[in-house]
Amino acid sequence: MESLFEWSEEDGFRIEPYGLELIPSLAALARKRLPRWKGRIFAGDVMSWEPPLRFDFVRTELEYVPRHRRKGMIERLLRDYLAPGGRLILCSYGSSRRPEPRAEPVADMLNDWGYEIAGETEAADTNNVVITRVAWTDRPAS
């Protein structure tokens, strides 16, 4: 939340960050550490929490839900979290230290679920192992 705010400002963009944390004690710690945003840091489960407003951008990872609920999470975020015309940004990270180091093919997954990919990118480490994949899809404006 803090880094994204700073990086965006460096690129000439001003964002109003919000955060949802599954673990209440971590949300409380974040509120204490970032008092200027304490009213924007929430505790809850993405599948049941009701956002107080709709967002222009939502960034998430699939690891937050079991595999059989992933498509449902994407549907819920697009329907209940994003403003019309908003963008859902889906990330996956790997590590050269994990048994399966490659990041998941998030663009392919979104495409398989019937979503139009508005963009995608990836990055590899020095061993050419894909460690970061990002794809995004947009909610229709109406």
Side-chain angles (χ1 to χ4, degrees):
M1 195 173 168
E2 188 175 27
S3 296
L4 185 59
F5 179 82
E6 291 171 5
W7 296 334
S8 297
E9 276 199 333
E10 288 172 9
D11 288 340
F13 298 100
R14 178 161 170 73
I15 64 167
E16 299 294 331
Y18 287 78
L20 177 62
E21 172 56 53
L22 180 63
I23 303 168
S25 61
L26 288 180
L29 183 63
R31 286 185 209 106
K32 185 176 180 179
R33 191 173 158 280
L34 302 167
R36 67 182 171 167
W37 294 325
K38 69 181 177 184
R40 297 177 179 195
I41 299 170
F42 304 97
D45 178 333
V46 70
M47 297 302 286
S48 60
W49 181 75
E50 293 299 325
L53 66 146
R54 299 296 185 255
F55 303 99
D56 295 323
F57 299 95
V58 172
R59 179 240 173 254
T60 193
E61 298 172 42
L62 293 172
E63 70 180 31
Y64 298 134
V65 294
R67 285 191 183 277
H68 70 278
R69 296 193 71 194
R70 287 176 167 186
K71 182 179 179 192
M73 181 183 78
I74 297 304
E75 290 170 355
R76 176 156 162 70
L77 290 171
L78 286 164
R79 182 186 66 238
D80 298 336
Y81 283 64
L82 278 173
R87 175 163 285 175
L88 177 64
I89 303 162
L90 187 58
C91 306
S92 178
Y93 302 99
S95 167
S96 57
R97 293 184 215 125
R98 292 182 181 173
E100 180 54 47
R102 298 192 184 283
E104 293 185 273
V106 290
D108 293 345
M109 297 164 98
L110 285 171
N111 192 49
D112 290 347
W113 294 328
Y115 297 106
E116 183 177 328
I117 307 305
E120 65 181 298
T121 191
E122 65 180 40
D125 68 8
T126 56
N127 297 326
N128 206 30
V129 173
V130 176
I131 58 170
T132 304
R133 283 196 170 110
V134 180
W136 50 97
T137 187
D138 296 332
R139 178 179 172 182
S142 55

